[in-house]
Amino acid sequence: MTIFLVVIATLVLAVYLFMQQPKFGARPSGSRMQRIQNSPNYKNGAFQNLSHTPQLAEDTKMTEVLYKFFFGKSKRNVPVSVIPTQKNDLKNLSKQENIVVWFGHSSYFIQADGKTLLADPVFSSNASPIGNVPAYKGSDVYSVDDMPDIDFLFLSHDHWDHLDYRTIKQLMPKVKRVITGLGTGAHLERWGYSPEIITELDWHESVSFNDFIFTAQPARHFSGRGIKRNGTLFISAVWQTPSFRLYLGGDSGYDTHFEKMGQQYGPFDLAILECGQYNHAWKYIHMMPEETVTVARQLGAKTLLPVHWAKFSLALHDWDESIKRVTTAAQNQQQFIVTPIIGEKIYLDKLNHTQHWWNGLQ
């Protein structure tokens, strides 16, 4: 019994020491924590979703989920084929180019009306603190060195597949302003970012930089880089530029907030919404592909760009199942959709580019 307790204590100590590494970030404290505690969305020591959001679906058990995660993945969960990509020179763009470049999963670059935005960048070829979620072959063609100066770094929440320590550290000299949810700035400050360039927003709060307006919006999700959940806020955002209205979706399960946003802020020129890494067991925190299309329509999106796929496998389904389902649903619901390959420039002025580039890949 004594030996058993020693082993347990040693393991607990090892986990504790491992989680003290800088990449785990920092918990909010001081005035930042006071602001969090004053938020109407923070109760009982954690941020709350608008609707009741169980960790798992009611008919699912954690033991079943864990078993399937380790032993029940599709044989095509990770592609055998190399993911096709394009490499564009983003450092020498004309200021007149209004473009979106998707880097796989939920990372993308936007230049609109001369301003640049980089969202949830992960350029370290992994989406896990222990290196067990590698990027698909060929999908990591871009690096921090390929990025121009960034006017706005948008961080939807602090999960590892959206907030990558190595990428964020390397980006620091290029970033002029960070837009994120309440509490996430604590991570960034630990990593060396100046508090003066960090703007943390609660749901429905707005910030304006001349004619560029960000409004933080709800997401039905959760946050956390360690054991504690929901100590920082998970957000989506409406980004209004002089010429465009864009919805930056982050991660979210389906809920009523989308229709309300469409009524208040729509129509949108482009909605960037997650379509992958879903499962019935966690249906409340990630949308099914068909729901992604429904949300685009509720938002009044002229065009849908589906993301959160084609780089990391965080669920059990085929790597390309989500894009097949979302494109079929878009056709059935008459929703226009763009499906660029990783790295390709698509133009906000003429979002008319759709290709099924995944067909034939294994």
Side-chain angles (χ1 to χ4, degrees):
M1 186 67 173
T2 302
I3 295 176
F4 175 75
L5 292 176
V6 169
V7 170
I8 294 297
T10 301
L11 288 174
V12 170
L13 178 60
V15 170
Y16 172 78
L17 292 175
F18 178 67
M19 292 180 61
Q20 301 313 302
Q21 296 181 71
K23 62 184 174 182
F24 282 87
R27 290 189 179 184
S29 61
S31 59
R32 176 175 280 114
M33 192 65 213
Q34 289 179 354
R35 188 180 172 202
I36 287 173
Q37 291 171 337
N38 289 332
S39 168
N41 305 303
Y42 189 83
K43 299 175 183 177
N44 303 318
F47 283 105
Q48 306 295 320
N49 282 287
L50 295 174
S51 300
H52 176 58
T53 303
Q55 184 175 352
L56 294 175
E58 293 82 354
D59 58 351
T60 306
K61 296 179 180 179
M62 180 59 74
T63 52
E64 176 187 352
V65 171
L66 291 173
Y67 180 83
K68 287 183 177 180
F69 188 80
F70 289 105
F71 304 108
K73 292 180 180 178
S74 159
K75 293 181 180 178
R76 296 186 67 250
N77 184 245
V78 175
V80 175
S81 303
V82 175
I83 298 296
T85 58
Q86 285 186 13
K87 189 73 176 285
N88 281 289
D89 182 3
L90 302 182
K91 289 182 176 180
N92 293 297
L93 291 172
S94 165
K95 288 294 184 180
Q96 280 66 52
E97 288 189 87
N98 297 308
I99 65 164
V100 181
V101 177
W102 174 56
F103 302 121
H105 202 64
S106 288
S107 303
Y108 51 88
F109 169 89
I110 301 174
Q111 180 172 278
D113 294 316
K115 295 293 186 181
T116 58
L117 177 142
L118 182 62
D120 291 349
V122 179
F123 296 133
S124 66
S125 301
N126 211 289
S128 163
I130 58 176
N132 63 329
V133 186
Y136 299 162
K137 290 183 293 185
S139 68
D140 55 353
V141 65
Y142 283 87
S143 70
V144 170
D145 289 341
D146 298 313
M147 297 299 107
D149 288 342
I150 302 299
D151 292 302
F152 305 111
L153 174 62
F154 173 69
L155 303 172
S156 63
H157 62 299
D158 67 1
H159 283 160
W160 297 86
D161 59 321
H162 293 257
L163 181 63
D164 180 63
Y165 167 69
R166 195 172 85 185
T167 300
I168 298 301
K169 281 282 290 182
Q170 292 175 348
L171 274 170
M172 189 162 50
K174 300 187 176 191
V175 175
K176 298 178 183 178
R177 171 65 53 181
V178 180
I179 309 292
T180 191
L182 291 181
T184 305
H187 302 313
L188 303 177
E189 287 184 28
R190 184 182 182 189
W191 299 340
Y193 277 69
S194 168
E196 283 72 29
I197 71 165
I198 301 171
T199 298
E200 296 174 80
L201 299 174
D202 202 349
W203 291 342
H204 308 297
E205 288 185 339
S206 294
V207 62
S208 177
F209 303 95
N210 296 321
D211 294 326
F212 295 80
I213 305 169
F214 290 88
T215 304
Q217 293 293 331
R220 192 180 191 184
H221 200 53
F222 69 105
S223 64
R225 296 178 72 78
I227 297 173
K228 177 177 169 54
R229 282 191 167 200
N230 296 356
T232 61
L233 185 61
F234 32 96
I235 67 171
S236 61
V238 173
W239 185 32
Q240 297 169 260
T241 81
S243 303
F244 304 100
R245 184 167 300 200
L246 309 173
Y247 179 69
L248 316 178
D251 279 1
S252 180
Y254 183 76
D255 207 353
T256 57
H257 64 278
F258 291 113
E259 187 169 15
K260 292 178 182 178
M261 276 189 284
Q263 293 168 354
Q264 184 173 0
Y265 294 100
F268 290 91
D269 296 288
L270 178 68
I272 304 174
L273 296 168
E274 65 153 56
C275 79
Q277 317 316 314
Y278 52 83
N279 189 280
H280 170 78
W282 52 86
K283 64 180 182 179
Y284 294 112
I285 56 174
H286 285 294
M287 288 186 284
M288 301 297 167
E290 293 75 17
E291 291 175 323
T292 301
V293 178
T294 298
V295 165
R297 290 179 59 79
Q298 289 179 340
L299 289 170
K302 298 176 184 177
T303 302
L304 164 65
L305 170 60
V307 299
H308 212 244
W309 77 285
K311 190 165 187 176
F312 303 115
S313 287
L314 298 167
L316 312 180
H317 54 71
D318 286 3
W319 74 271
D320 55 355
E321 179 185 292
S322 60
I323 195 62
K324 291 177 179 178
R325 286 176 60 175
V326 81
T327 50
T328 298
Q331 183 177 14
N332 292 340
Q333 296 188 45
Q334 297 183 325
Q335 170 64 52
F336 196 80
I337 188 172
V338 287
T339 56
I341 68 173
I342 290 175
E344 181 180 4
K345 289 196 295 187
I346 56 174
Y347 289 85
L348 288 169
D349 314 272
K350 46 181 180 180
L351 287 167
N352 58 0
H353 183 71
T354 302
Q355 58 176 326
H356 293 197
W357 58 262
W358 52 88
N359 284 346
L361 300 182
Q362 299 301 311

